Amino acid sequence: MAPSAVPVEAGPTPAAKQAVKTEKTPVQEKTPLQAISQGVCLPGIPIFSSYDKHRAWMLAHMAGAFRVFARKGLTEGMSGHISVRDPENPHTFWTNPLGKHFATLKASDMVLVDYEGKVVGGNTSRPANAAGFLIHSAVHKARPDVTAACHCHGKAGKAWSAFGRKLEMINQDVTYFYGDAQAVYNEFGGVVLEEEEGKRLAAALGPKGKGMILRNHGLLTVGGTVDEAAYLHTLMERSCEIQLMVEAAAANGIPKIYVDDKAAEFTFRMASDPESLYWEFQPDLEYEREISDGAFEK
């Protein structure tokens, strides 16, 4: 669904119309969100007048993301977590309580922990996931630009992770993970219960990573909003499913045709900016709001 970059020429002033044209009129490129919007442009990511309002909005979207994950089959026992950096105290982050089904989560269920794993606020009636804390705290420490991180044990993600390989550029949508935006962590050592493994995992993601395949484990995605990270996770999971389908067909002798680098880079540039990825998640979030009557926002 990547848009084309459509240049917009500035309209000439009356004086300019009368002047002899000696050079081309300056051209201004549309933003990716403007380019995909035919007519009035979709609004940007909301800005809030207080930390409290920002936090309430963020936690509601976080709870909605968990319900989207549940509907898409990304639950596996107590595994899986989302973390979101607090807007007021960026050394702390919100995460889900251990042992509660994604489909039942509400904004008020979330637990606030610091970088050392200490519960410092939110819902204190249940613990957070210790393995999840080590993964997410390492990512948040290494990447100040990361507001949210998502990790789940989805079927397709686990299956493709067995190969320890990046997803290939075999269709338009997977180009959202083009180049340095995709990484692989090839040092699986069991459940992450050691701080050093969390650090190695964050280092593997790198400074530009948006999605990572954890060998023999699952998937991890990050974003500037929980909406971006959540959409990228559902996209990466689906991309693993498509990759497995293509591999099965290729094993029967059907050749693959890859997206060339120039087209992949262009699509990535025009579709993977924070505002576009934020909006990619809104249809799923709105659907969850409709079917639950907004229960997750409480």
Side-chain angles (χ1 to χ4, degrees), residues 83-98:
S83 64
V84 182
R85 194 187 296 273
D86 187 79
E88 183 175 9
N89 302 297
H91 61 287
T92 65
F93 56 89
W94 296 88
T95 189
N96 49 305
L98 186 65

Side-chain angles (χ1 to χ4, degrees), residues 48-70:
F48 299 90
S49 59
S50 72
Y51 290 125
D52 287 343
K53 290 178 181 179
H54 189 178
R55 185 179 296 112
W57 173 85
M58 178 191 73
L59 292 176
H61 281 229
M62 181 181 180
F66 277 115
R67 296 201 180 204
V68 171
F69 284 4

Side-chain angles (χ1 to χ4, degrees), residues 90-211:
H91 61 287
T92 65
F93 56 89
W94 296 88
T95 189
N96 49 305
L98 186 65
K100 192 167 175 63
H101 197 280
F102 290 0
T104 67
L105 285 170
K106 303 186 296 293
S108 58
D109 289 320
M110 303 309 167
V111 184
L112 183 65
V113 298
D114 62 19
Y115 278 156
E116 283 66 52
K118 180 181 178 182
V119 175
V120 294
N123 172 22
T124 59
S125 67
R126 289 204 189 198
N129 186 311
F133 158 73
L134 288 171
I135 293 173
H136 290 251
S137 64
V139 170
H140 284 291
K141 285 178 182 177
R143 292 278 300 276
D145 61 306
V146 167
T147 296
C150 302
H151 169 61
C152 291
H153 294 185
K155 290 189 293 184
K158 285 191 290 185
W160 181 249
S161 77
F163 295 103
R165 290 170 48 197
K166 286 186 176 184
L167 291 162
E168 297 175 331
M169 299 296 105
I170 52 176
N171 58 63
Q172 175 176 289
D173 297 321
V174 77
T175 63
Y176 289 28
F177 299 107
Y178 176 75
D180 292 339
Q182 185 183 183
V184 176
Y185 181 61
N186 265 314
E187 301 181 48
F188 178 70
V191 177
V192 181
L193 294 175
E194 297 292 335
E195 185 177 357
E196 286 307 310
E197 180 152 6
K199 290 180 179 178
R200 289 193 297 270
L201 189 150
L205 180 63
K208 297 180 181 179
K210 289 176 174 281

Side-chain angles (χ1 to χ4, degrees), residues 160 165-179 182 235-250 254-261 263-264 267:
W160 181 249
R165 290 170 48 197
K166 286 186 176 184
L167 291 162
E168 297 175 331
M169 299 296 105
I170 52 176
N171 58 63
Q172 175 176 289
D173 297 321
V174 77
T175 63
Y176 289 28
F177 299 107
Y178 176 75
Q182 185 183 183
L235 176 62
M236 199 169 206
E237 176 72 18
R238 178 65 64 84
S239 295
C240 288
E241 181 182 3
I242 299 302
Q243 180 85 51
L244 291 164
M245 294 168 66
V246 171
E247 293 297 322
I254 303 174
K256 299 178 190 175
I257 298 175
Y258 296 96
V259 177
D260 66 66
D261 280 345
T267 307

